[in-house]
Amino acid sequence: MTFKRVLVAYGSKHGATAGIAEEIGRTLRDDGVEAVVLPAGDITDVSSYDGVVLGGALYAGRWNGQARRCVRRNAEQLSRRPVWLFSSGPVDSSAEQYDIPPVLGVARSMERLGAREHMTFGGAMTAKTPGLVARSLVRHGKGGDFRNSAQIQAWAHHIADDLEAGPETAR
Ligand SMILES: Cc1cc2nc3c(=O)[nH]c(=O)nc-3n(C[C@H](O)[C@H](O)[C@H](O)COP(=O)(O)O)c2cc1C
């Protein structure tokens, strides 16, 4: 088996997306991939990675700003290697029930980078989530943790398989 090094980067405001990224990183490592998990805001160079998984939280129909800027900053290098994007996420079970397409900005990033795939995972907004809006929504019964470990792990296994298969399965 070829040894692959993958970056899992995340743009997260309150930690839910970071948790998904950590789960993806753990699963990739279980599959023998060297996975490094870092905040998207810290990423200035991806040239040492064989592939990149980049995720962002959704706020008012837009991807987290750190994830967006990570794409802009690293676009050239990202477009030369396999990239997978993910979003988090609906605070209900919709992401477990059907494929939710990327929001427009993320769809454009996919095109710009030639990303292999996008996945929307359920998100989390709980009593611990800071912010007036979140607190009010949770108080009105609109919160919960809808991150599904089995779904996240299945996607990460699929990425590990895809990496292992090599460039012939690329776009
Ligand atoms: C003010 C606000 C706006 C949100 N807008 C969206 C949205 O447009 N689409 C969506 O799927 N989820 C939306 N969410 C849910 C968040 O994306 C979800 O809680 C996410 O998992 C948060 O990730 P983070 O903790 O990494 O920041 C919103 C949450 C808040 C508090």
Side-chain angles (χ1 to χ4, degrees):
M1 185 171 114
T2 350
F3 194 62
K4 303 276 186 184
R5 190 160 187 263
V6 170
L7 171 67
V8 185
Y10 59 87
S12 177
K13 205 166 158 190
H14 299 311
T17 314
I20 294 172
E22 292 291 352
E23 179 116 45
I24 292 171
R26 269 194 304 276
T27 308
L28 288 173
R29 283 193 287 273
D30 286 348
D31 286 350
V33 175
E34 185 190 338
V36 178
V37 182
L38 290 171
D42 290 355
I43 311 303
T44 53
D45 183 1
V46 299
S47 59
S48 64
Y49 299 101
D50 300 307
V52 177
V53 182
L54 173 62
L58 292 171
Y59 283 93
R62 296 190 82 195
W63 228 28
N64 171 279
Q66 290 198 355
R68 290 200 311 268
R69 287 189 289 279
C70 181
V71 167
R72 279 206 291 276
R73 243 185 352 263
N74 299 284
E76 205 206 312
Q77 285 178 6
L78 286 169
S79 63
R80 291 170 195 231
R81 43 191 41 77
V83 167
W84 294 262
L85 304 182
F86 72 90
S87 303
S88 99
V91 190
D92 58 30
S93 61
S94 55
E96 293 167 294
Q97 288 163 17
Y98 50 87
D99 277 350
I100 299 179
V103 297
L104 186 61
V106 176
R108 288 198 176 123
S109 293
M110 286 193 73
E111 215 171 293
R112 179 175 184 187
L113 305 177
R116 290 192 179 188
E117 269 175 42
H118 170 271
M119 179 68 104
T120 302
F121 294 112
M125 198 166 57
T126 67
K128 288 185 196 147
T129 307
L132 279 179
V133 179
R135 222 172 301 148
S136 158
L137 288 167
V138 170
R139 210 178 300 133
H140 289 89
K142 299 259 161 57
D145 187 345
F146 290 89
R147 293 172 297 175
N148 179 321
S149 283
Q151 190 187 18
I152 296 164
Q153 287 169 19
W155 195 60
H157 285 311
H158 160 71
I159 289 173
D161 288 348
D162 203 5
L163 265 168
E164 189 55 27
E168 63 272 16
T169 62
R171 59 194 179 269

